[in-house]
Amino acid sequence: MELITLEEVDSTNNYAKKNLKNFSDKTVIRALRQISGRGRLNRRWVDLGENNLFLSVVLKPSETFSSVYTNLTQYLSVILCQLFEEYGLHPEIKWPNDVLINGKKIAGILCETIMQGAALKGLVLGVGINLNSTSSELVSIPGNAATSVNLEIDREVNPDNFLDMFLKLFFKNYDEFLEKGFEFIKSDYLSRACFLNKQIQVEVLNETKYGIAKFVNDSGELVLYNNGKEFTLNIGDIL
Ligand code: BT5
């Protein structure tokens, strides 16, 4: 594992993608300031200052795509939960990979796949983690439902220490996860899931699906029941 720290960047994911060929497998790009952080579907990730984490993990696990890579964001969401639990918090996962504390978003994950024809050039797994913020800064975030670790535990968090713990835990079981897939993390994922057996709405590519979130299958997909019908979703946003 190699860690590269940048003072300022538009987006660590953009930087990792632009310079992908220069990075080997398991290179981590961290930026102290990120001025145009991205979420999914062109949404923004708000920079709450240097005492927070913005990073992208460059992964080059194989030369062709494997379906297990679609579960990397879920693997990462479990790692984040385990870290927050070290701070005495009770994080929950909203399918597929949002990490919430008391119903508020504390971290965001964006995984991008870079292909050239059928060849996999790499994966860029980006994560923003709110460690230190103020209630007034959080108000600027669209949706008004964000939090940070310091506000939940009433003390500042050292970003370097957190990053250190994050990298150790992420890479500890990473190779085994790639071999075994979602099933390897399934029970850790489900024990933190906050959406099961509830009537939910999921936005899937401009369409809204309604139903009861019945279970998450062995591929990490969400299975919804509605009027006796079953829908299996592999992407979407629970509203
Ligand atoms: C995400 O998107 O949650 C993925 C965010 C990934 C950010 C990292 S930072 C390092 C790397 N480089 C990048 O450019 N990106 C990655 P999504 O599920 O689309 O959620 C975006 C929504 O989260 C926004 O529309 C806001 O409502 C909310 N949001 C934005 N900034 C936030 C923050 N700092 N804390 C909590 N919520 C935030």
Side-chain angles (χ1 to χ4, degrees), residues 186-204:
K186 189 172 179 183
S187 63
D188 287 326
Y189 181 88
L190 291 181
S191 65
R192 294 161 177 106
C194 63
F195 50 87
L196 288 177
N197 298 315
K198 291 187 180 150
Q199 178 74 40
I200 58 168
Q201 298 179 30
V202 189
E203 195 170 87
V204 190

Side-chain angles (χ1 to χ4, degrees), residues 163-203:
L163 178 61
D164 213 43
M165 285 164 51
F166 170 84
L167 295 175
K168 284 199 182 100
L169 200 58
F170 181 86
F171 286 114
K172 186 169 161 225
N173 294 318
Y174 166 76
D175 293 315
E176 195 172 354
F177 162 72
L178 287 189
E179 259 170 52
K180 298 185 175 161
F182 183 73
E183 283 183 79
F184 177 65
I185 54 158
K186 189 172 179 183
S187 63
D188 287 326
Y189 181 88
L190 291 181
S191 65
R192 294 161 177 106
C194 63
F195 50 87
L196 288 177
N197 298 315
K198 291 187 180 150
Q199 178 74 40
I200 58 168
Q201 298 179 30
V202 189
E203 195 170 87

Side-chain angles (χ1 to χ4, degrees), residues 1-237:
M1 195 278 297
E2 190 192 350
L3 174 65
I4 296 171
T5 303
L6 307 170
E7 283 290 319
E8 183 175 297
V9 79
D10 56 345
S11 141
T12 56
N13 270 37
N14 289 355
Y15 184 88
K17 286 201 301 183
K18 251 183 258 157
N19 300 290
L20 192 68
K21 62 175 185 322
N22 303 328
F23 299 137
S24 48
D25 184 31
K26 302 183 182 169
T27 300
V28 178
I29 321 282
R30 175 191 180 190
L32 300 179
R33 285 179 307 274
Q34 177 175 255
I35 47 186
S36 315
R38 292 187 291 112
R40 292 168 305 146
L41 307 170
N42 284 329
R43 289 188 287 237
R44 259 182 73 212
W45 186 257
V46 177
D47 179 335
L48 294 165
E50 287 196 10
N51 290 323
N52 296 282
L53 286 173
F54 317 102
L55 52 103
S56 298
V57 185
V58 173
L59 300 167
K60 297 185 174 179
S62 64
E63 315 230 303
T64 52
F65 190 78
S66 156
S67 61
V68 67
Y69 305 151
T70 59
N71 302 118
L72 270 166
T73 61
Q74 289 168 314
Y75 173 74
L76 180 48
S77 68
V78 169
I79 300 291
L80 291 176
C81 287
Q82 290 168 341
L83 287 174
F84 294 138
E85 284 159 7
E86 293 285 317
Y87 289 80
L89 296 171
H90 299 287
E92 291 182 309
I93 299 174
K94 188 169 90 171
W95 185 88
N97 56 50
D98 268 347
V99 179
L100 309 177
I101 289 181
N102 295 323
K104 295 180 175 180
K105 187 156 162 167
I106 196 155
I109 300 172
L110 173 69
C111 187
E112 298 182 273
T113 305
I114 301 91
M115 304 286 299
Q116 201 171 67
L120 175 69
K121 292 291 160 193
L123 301 149
V124 174
L125 183 57
V127 58
I129 310 171
N130 296 342
L131 296 180
N132 299 288
S133 183
T134 61
S135 313
S136 54
E137 279 171 326
L138 290 171
V139 172
S140 69
I141 294 175
N144 204 8
T147 190
S148 57
V149 178
N150 71 315
L151 292 177
E152 300 294 331
I153 63 174
D154 244 2
R155 65 183 159 87
E156 296 292 294
V157 178
N158 182 312
D160 296 329
N161 293 348
F162 194 95
L163 178 61
D164 213 43
M165 285 164 51
F166 170 84
L167 295 175
K168 284 199 182 100
L169 200 58
F170 181 86
F171 286 114
K172 186 169 161 225
N173 294 318
Y174 166 76
D175 293 315
E176 195 172 354
F177 162 72
L178 287 189
E179 259 170 52
K180 298 185 175 161
F182 183 73
E183 283 183 79
F184 177 65
I185 54 158
K186 189 172 179 183
S187 63
D188 287 326
Y189 181 88
L190 291 181
S191 65
R192 294 161 177 106
C194 63
F195 50 87
L196 288 177
N197 298 315
K198 291 187 180 150
Q199 178 74 40
I200 58 168
Q201 298 179 30
V202 189
E203 195 170 87
V204 190
L205 307 169
N206 290 330
E207 207 190 318
T208 306
K209 301 268 186 204
Y210 301 84
I212 295 182
K214 262 304 176 204
F215 62 95
V216 175
N217 67 20
D218 288 345
S219 305
E221 297 163 329
L222 177 63
V223 180
L224 278 187
Y225 277 15
N226 192 358
N227 284 332
K229 284 202 203 122
E230 197 178 290
F231 302 92
T232 303
L233 305 179
N234 54 20
I235 51 163
D237 274 311

